[in-house]
Amino acid sequence: QILFSANGQKVVYKAIKQGRHFVVVNDKAGKFYEAINDLIVFSPDGKKVAYDGKRGGKEYLVIDGKEVMSYDNGDASAFSPDSRLLAYEMKDKEKWFVVVHDGEKEVYRSPAYPRSFRSPLFSPDGRLFFYELGDDNNRIVFFLDWLTKKIIKERLYADFTMAGKVSFSSNYLRVIYEA
């Protein structure tokens, strides 16, 4: 997997040397890990890179080469449109939740649920934050007003197994998604 940033200024790829995995950004190699998750994310402005590295039974969220959190399982998912925040889903002690991190500290943590079904994402204007958690029988889609950090809508779905695409209206006030 080789990726270019949206502005074309950076290139990133995963590499393996003597069984040790690492990420290379513009010819600069990062820390070694036992494994690197497939999802590597560039910020919209092309300045930041995020990924998950596995070592010693833990996963580490890595933003620009810095390990900012450790947990049992997870995936870096999406940067906010202004590139300041990274949303990701993580598992710790048998519970899944969604976290938003600013590179220095955690700025939001969702309630914990037994399962995570869909990677979190921000609306293109950054005002709405969308994620999906639940258990084996129910899925709950959450809509969070990012400015107030308050849940503005929860939608419960029972007994469905397919998580589909998400699309925002042109004014970003409405969301449509497959269930």
Side-chain angles (χ1 to χ4, degrees):
Q1 177 185 21
I2 299 174
L3 299 170
F4 283 95
S5 61
N7 63 9
Q9 299 295 311
K10 288 187 179 181
V11 63
V12 64
Y13 59 92
K14 295 189 317 185
I16 302 172
K17 184 176 185 178
Q18 298 174 341
R20 296 170 17 173
H21 299 243
F22 57 102
V23 169
V24 179
V25 180
N26 283 356
D27 295 328
K28 184 178 177 189
K31 289 184 178 182
F32 289 106
Y33 293 93
E34 295 164 7
I36 305 273
N37 284 359
D38 286 335
L39 188 62
I40 298 173
V41 182
F42 267 114
S43 61
D45 65 7
K47 294 179 181 178
K48 297 178 183 175
V49 176
Y51 58 91
D52 293 284
K54 298 177 184 181
R55 183 178 59 238
K58 284 287 204 189
E59 290 192 25
Y60 295 87
L61 173 63
V62 181
I63 302 175
D64 289 336
K66 180 181 170 186
E67 294 175 353
V68 297
M69 286 193 83
S70 68
Y71 42 88
D72 295 337
N73 194 351
D75 267 321
S77 298
F79 277 97
S80 60
D82 64 4
S83 301
R84 291 184 9 203
L85 305 169
L86 177 70
Y88 59 98
E89 54 191 335
M90 66 181 274
K91 181 181 181 186
D92 209 17
K93 298 181 180 123
E94 301 304 315
K95 294 284 185 171
W96 283 90
F97 38 95
V98 171
V99 173
V100 178
H101 205 282
D102 70 2
E104 298 296 322
K105 66 187 176 309
E106 183 180 301
V107 295
Y108 176 78
R109 182 179 290 231
S110 75
Y113 285 86
R115 294 196 49 207
S116 175
F117 296 101
R118 185 190 316 254
S119 296
L121 61 106
F122 289 92
S123 62
D125 67 350
R127 183 175 173 130
L128 189 65
F129 184 59
F130 175 92
Y131 60 93
E132 183 180 6
L133 298 168
D135 58 30
D136 289 335
N137 298 315
N138 298 299
R139 293 179 181 209
I140 306 168
V141 175
F142 294 90
F143 301 91
L144 179 96
D145 180 321
W146 186 251
L147 299 177
T148 64
K149 309 283 190 304
K150 294 189 188 291
I151 300 289
I152 56 175
K153 185 169 180 94
E154 291 180 30
R155 183 79 189 255
L156 172 66
Y157 291 94
D159 300 324
F160 79 90
T161 59
M162 193 73 160
K165 295 180 182 178
V166 178
S167 182
F168 291 91
S169 64
S170 60
N171 64 3
Y172 313 125
L173 297 176
R174 295 180 181 200
V175 177
I176 189 168
Y177 52 93
E178 291 179 63

